[in-house]
């Protein structure tokens, strides 16, 4: 049974920083794309950032230059460093991973439980 466990959310003042972490536990064959999504109250879940197994990255326009995604394949972990936080970054942040369990098998989509990030003075 694979689980994604997130940590690092909390309350921060505008222009502050936070670092989110997410680690996959359980037996896997390979973890391919890993990413972070967020969902604010009354809004749909949106992509924040994604990193491929080859460490190519892609960011939402709203976070470019402020957020940095990285991964540690030895730890099956993905991180999101968030700088210059704004009130509009307030949301529940979800970790996502596409995981396969055997060679030439399809990827399965996994989600973390979510961690609240609140940006407020």
């Amino acid at each position: 049974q694979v689980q994604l466990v997130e940590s690092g959310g909390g309350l921060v003042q505008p222009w502050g920083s936070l670092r989110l972490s997410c680690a996959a536990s359980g037996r896997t064959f390979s973890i391919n794309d890993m990413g972070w999504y967020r969902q604010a109250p009354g809004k749909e879940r949106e992509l924040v950032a994604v990193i491929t197994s080859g460490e190519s990255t892609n960011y939402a326009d709203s976070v470019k230059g402020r957020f940095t995604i990285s991964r540690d394949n030895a730890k099956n972990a993905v991180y999101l460093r968030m700088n210059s936080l704004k009130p509009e970054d307030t949301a529940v942040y979800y970790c996502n991973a596409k995981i396969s369990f055997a060679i030439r098998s399809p990827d399965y989509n996994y989600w973390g439980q979510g961690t609240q990030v609140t940006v407020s003075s």
Side-chain angles (χ1 to χ4, degrees):
Q1 183 82 7
V2 172
Q3 287 187 319
L4 300 182
V5 180
E6 300 153 351
S7 61
L11 173 64
V12 63
Q13 293 187 340
W15 301 106
S17 298
L18 280 176
R19 184 177 185 251
L20 305 183
S21 301
C22 171
S25 63
R27 188 168 182 168
T28 66
F29 177 74
S30 66
I31 301 179
N32 300 309
D33 291 1
M34 302 185 81
W36 291 93
Y37 290 71
R38 67 186 181 187
Q39 188 166 18
K43 295 188 176 181
E44 294 187 353
R45 191 174 297 189
E46 63 176 0
L47 173 70
V48 176
V50 64
I51 184 167
T52 69
S53 57
E55 303 201 15
S56 295
T57 59
N58 192 32
Y59 295 91
D61 287 344
S62 59
V63 307
K64 281 181 182 175
R66 301 187 298 122
F67 291 10
T68 303
I69 190 170
S70 60
R71 64 190 288 168
D72 183 336
N73 292 328
K75 296 181 179 180
N76 288 342
V78 63
Y79 308 98
L80 186 69
R81 177 67 180 179
M82 304 184 293
N83 294 329
S84 302
L85 282 160
K86 304 175 181 180
E88 51 263 42
D89 294 316
T90 296
V92 178
Y93 284 70
Y94 296 91
C95 171
N96 173 265
K98 293 177 173 51
I99 300 173
S100 65
F101 296 94
I103 192 168
R104 291 190 291 274
S105 74
D107 288 346
Y108 292 86
N109 210 24
Y110 283 84
W111 293 94
Q113 80 282 3
T115 185
Q116 177 70 46
V117 172
T118 302
V119 184
S120 175
S121 54

